[in-house]
Amino acid sequence: MTDTIRIFDTTLRDGEQSPGCSMNLEEKLRVAAQLEALGVDIIEAGFAIASEGDFEAVSAVAKQCETAVVASLARAALGDIDRAWAAVRHAKQPRIHTFIATSPLHMRVKLNLTPEATLEAIRTSVSHARNLCADIEWSAEDATRTDPDFLCRAVEIAIAAGASTINLPDTVGYATPETYGAMFRDVIKRVPNADKAVFSTHCHNDLGLAVANTLAAIMGGARQVESTINGIGERAGNAAVEEIAMAIKVRGDIIPFRTNVVSTEITRASRLVSGITGMAVQANKAIVGANAFAHESGIHQDGMIKDAGTYEIMTPDSVGQGATNLVLGKHSGRAAFRQKLDELGYKLSDNEFGDAFKRFKDLADAKKAIWDEDIVALVDDEVLRGHDAIQVVEVEIYCGSNGPQRAILTLNIDGEEHTAAVRGNGPVDALFNAIRKLVPHDGAVLQLYQVHAVTAGTDAQAEVSVMLAEDGRTVRGTGADVDTMVASARAYVNALNKLMVKRGRNALEGLEARA
Ligand code: KIV
Ligand code: ZN
């Protein structure tokens, strides 16, 4: 057994399954590039059969990746597996990740299969995948609620059929560290061909135990961990990559392993994913939260001045928190701006670059210091939303204690400008009513409206997230501007654009195809 724990990142697949976190192709490519910079070993790029968009994204990530293994998820169905292979086959190191549920409840209710039929499905699906691809991962969905004897039989069959990685997921976040670690010990001890496979963990966070369970599984013999940036994922999310990597690094004394994670890239990865998905990171989140290295009380501050080791078990620099630089200002030219975009991983067309540069100059007039976060918010907002069919043209708001609050809003809808003047209970309500008047969408419900400042200072850009839900579809839009109301209009309109794209998507993308 090696002392290196392989990091399998599923931000682009399980992470993208978080409500409203879907990413477009360009966004997925940027996340994949950052995941490689972070040093993850395997990138699960998506679920190729789920939709045409997912297939294209997995293929594009497969073609782009230089160092990471690229995997696509597939159910235990030959068509799924063929589609996964078609998407990853151009990768330098392709992997097919196929799964089937093994718990009594899932087999009976979801799959309508007997245990014997499930074992047969494992045999045929894994051997079919192995005939296509040399690197096969097999997962026993809901492993932690599976009968241990049956789990051992299933694992043995999957390895015999050609799986070289065996994943035992805690699909519903039900395990505790003791039980999860013991499950790995037990399966590895009892399955006769266990030495022919690497065992993998995949933990959901329903009880807040995902990272603890992952570490327990490592102590129980797992040598691959599945996780996501910022812990995004189904329901309460997955185990967070940054927490696992830093736990292994900081507590090498009792977790005697290493990973290939370049820890100084952690903060950049976290910000990229939260910026793209609109899923803000809570301030007290371990490793990457805004307060993770903040010291408020006098006693703590005093200790920190004397020796940072008194209250810090790792330095902010070690996770890339010191990497945020004062980057550009009013006098910065096109070359400096282009170089900064390169550093941040953007590849823009000439037109996109021109639009972004103009927006940067406007921002530099409004705000003294421009930071990395400002550039990321600006480019994501201006350029990546540039193809939206509905665009915000102008926002005028009347607000204050005397009311009534009113919004005059102009939108460009499919190339034509339309204006509405509407009242509301406060400026945000007036603004959103104006959008509803210009683009009626009665079926959609506003589920979240969230504002956060991109940097410190009263001249900071506001980054707004809006979540809309309609018929079981959830979308999240983001917008940024020094004017919070403009950012709010952009965020709502961005969500609306995504909703329209989703309405048109392949029905297979729905629940049935999702793990
Ligand atoms: O949570 C889970 O069981 C999964 C599998 C498909 C790996 O995401
Ligand atoms: Zn999962």
Side-chain angles (χ1 to χ4, degrees):
M1 290 230 181
T2 163
D3 64 347
T4 299
I5 303 296
R6 310 192 84 204
I7 303 286
F8 175 114
D9 184 279
T10 183
T11 306
L12 296 176
R13 199 278 298 169
D14 218 330
E16 208 215 8
Q17 287 177 215
S18 324
C21 276
S22 49
M23 302 172 224
N24 65 29
L25 177 70
E26 196 166 2
E27 291 166 341
K28 286 185 179 176
L29 287 173
R30 286 176 51 220
V31 172
Q34 180 56 32
L35 289 173
E36 283 205 306
L38 181 64
V40 309
D41 303 283
I42 302 113
I43 295 176
E44 185 163 56
F47 196 175
I49 191 87
S51 72
E52 202 49 46
D54 279 49
F55 178 82
E56 277 165 23
V58 178
S59 314
V61 170
K63 287 177 191 149
Q64 172 182 283
C65 282
E66 292 290 334
T67 51
V69 172
V70 179
S72 172
L73 188 65
R75 287 169 298 188
L78 305 193
D80 270 42
I81 292 169
D82 291 343
R83 195 82 176 132
W85 174 238
V88 294
R89 62 183 303 168
H90 300 294
K92 290 199 169 64
Q93 302 174 77
R95 172 180 291 190
I96 297 174
H97 174 194
T98 183
F99 75 99
I100 194 164
T102 50
S103 66
L105 181 65
H106 278 232
M107 287 190 289
R108 181 167 46 82
V109 175
K110 206 180 77 171
L111 301 174
N112 197 19
L113 285 181
T114 61
E116 285 310 315
T118 303
L119 294 178
E120 189 47 36
I122 296 168
R123 200 173 285 116
T124 43
S125 57
V126 174
S127 20
H128 182 68
R130 183 63 188 82
N131 284 336
L132 300 170
C133 180
D135 183 352
I136 304 302
E137 172 168 340
W138 177 76
S139 287
E141 192 190 8
D142 208 14
T144 49
R145 293 191 297 170
T146 296
D147 169 70
D149 293 342
F150 184 70
L151 185 60
C152 287
R153 283 178 71 199
V155 168
E156 185 180 350
I157 288 172
I159 297 173
S164 47
T165 304
I166 297 292
N167 182 33
L168 304 179
D170 184 25
T171 304
V172 290
Y174 180 68
T176 61
E178 261 190 3
T179 60
Y180 198 54
M183 181 183 77
F184 277 84
R185 265 185 213 100
D186 186 49
V187 172
I188 293 171
K189 194 165 105 201
R190 288 174 55 193
V191 169
N193 51 4
D195 60 321
K196 304 213 165 37
V198 170
F199 280 77
S200 175
T201 80
H202 179 113
C203 296
H204 282 270
N205 206 27
D206 300 66
L207 293 174
L209 294 172
V211 171
N213 288 340
T214 302
L215 297 177
I218 291 173
M219 300 315 283
R223 293 293 175 267
Q224 173 181 290
V225 302
E226 308 200 355
S227 46
T228 59
I229 302 290
N230 298 336
I232 65 171
E234 284 278 7
R235 306 182 310 279
N238 289 59
V241 182
E242 61 278 5
E243 294 178 21
I244 297 163
M246 290 313 289
I248 293 173
K249 190 170 168 145
V250 172
R251 295 309 312 270
D253 55 333
I254 51 159
I255 313 171
F257 299 99
R258 60 173 298 279
T259 70
N260 290 320
V261 166
V262 180
S263 65
T264 48
E265 290 292 331
I266 284 177
T267 300
R268 203 188 288 274
S270 164
R271 289 191 183 151
L272 179 68
V273 170
S274 76
I276 284 178
T277 59
M279 189 95 139
V281 173
Q282 75 194 51
N284 63 334
K285 161 91 175 59
I287 318 292
V288 291
N291 291 352
F293 295 94
H295 303 275
E296 184 72 20
S297 87
I299 297 173
H300 286 213
Q301 287 176 353
D302 180 52
M304 284 296 294
I305 291 164
K306 290 175 176 146
D307 180 343
T310 50
Y311 289 104
E312 272 181 3
I313 56 168
M314 61 199 139
T315 64
D317 283 356
S318 69
V319 299
Q321 285 229 10
T324 296
N325 296 318
L326 175 59
V327 281
L328 301 171
K330 211 174 158 128
H331 303 293
S332 307
R334 298 175 84 85
F337 186 59
R338 196 180 283 283
Q339 189 187 333
K340 180 46 72 180
L341 292 185
D342 280 352
E343 270 171 45
L344 294 172
Y346 289 101
K347 291 184 184 67
L348 304 186
S349 69
D350 288 349
N351 282 347
E352 288 170 339
F353 177 80
D355 291 346
F357 186 64
K358 182 176 172 313
R359 180 91 182 265
F360 158 70
K361 282 296 198 189
D362 292 345
L363 183 64
D365 279 338
K367 191 172 184 293
K368 273 186 252 125
I370 310 273
W371 304 76
D372 280 2
E373 291 94 325
D374 285 315
I375 306 277
V376 170
L378 174 159
V379 178
D380 286 351
D381 187 72
E382 180 68 22
V383 181
L384 299 178
R385 322 276 174 241
H387 308 293
D388 285 351
I390 309 171
Q391 305 261 358
V392 176
V393 178
E394 207 171 297
V395 177
E396 230 178 293
I397 301 284
Y398 295 88
C399 63
S401 48
N402 291 334
Q405 290 81 15
R406 205 153 62 93
I408 305 175
L409 174 73
T410 304
L411 296 181
N412 184 316
I413 306 171
D414 284 329
E416 258 184 49
E417 289 193 4
H418 301 264
T419 301
V422 180
R423 288 183 177 189
N425 283 326
V428 177
D429 189 48
L431 186 62
F432 290 0
N433 286 344
I435 298 174
R436 263 180 233 117
K437 184 161 181 200
L438 291 172
V439 188
H441 52 281
D442 291 343
V445 180
L446 177 67
Q447 291 210 316
L448 173 105
Y449 169 73
Q450 202 172 51
V451 184
H452 97 273
V454 172
T455 56
T458 49
D459 64 352
Q461 288 190 88
E463 196 163 51
V464 177
S465 277
V466 160
M467 202 154 106
L468 294 177
E470 182 188 75
D471 294 337
R473 289 179 284 249
T474 315
V475 288
R476 200 180 276 266
T478 55
D481 198 274
V482 281
D483 185 311
T484 308
M485 290 301 112
V486 175
S488 302
R490 289 206 176 118
Y492 197 108
V493 166
N494 180 231
L496 209 47
N497 279 294
K498 286 188 176 169
L499 193 62
M500 291 185 330
V501 172
K502 269 214 164 178
R503 280 176 190 159
R505 272 207 198 164
N506 188 337
L508 238 188
E509 199 195 19
L511 286 178
E512 205 230 329
R514 293 288 181 195

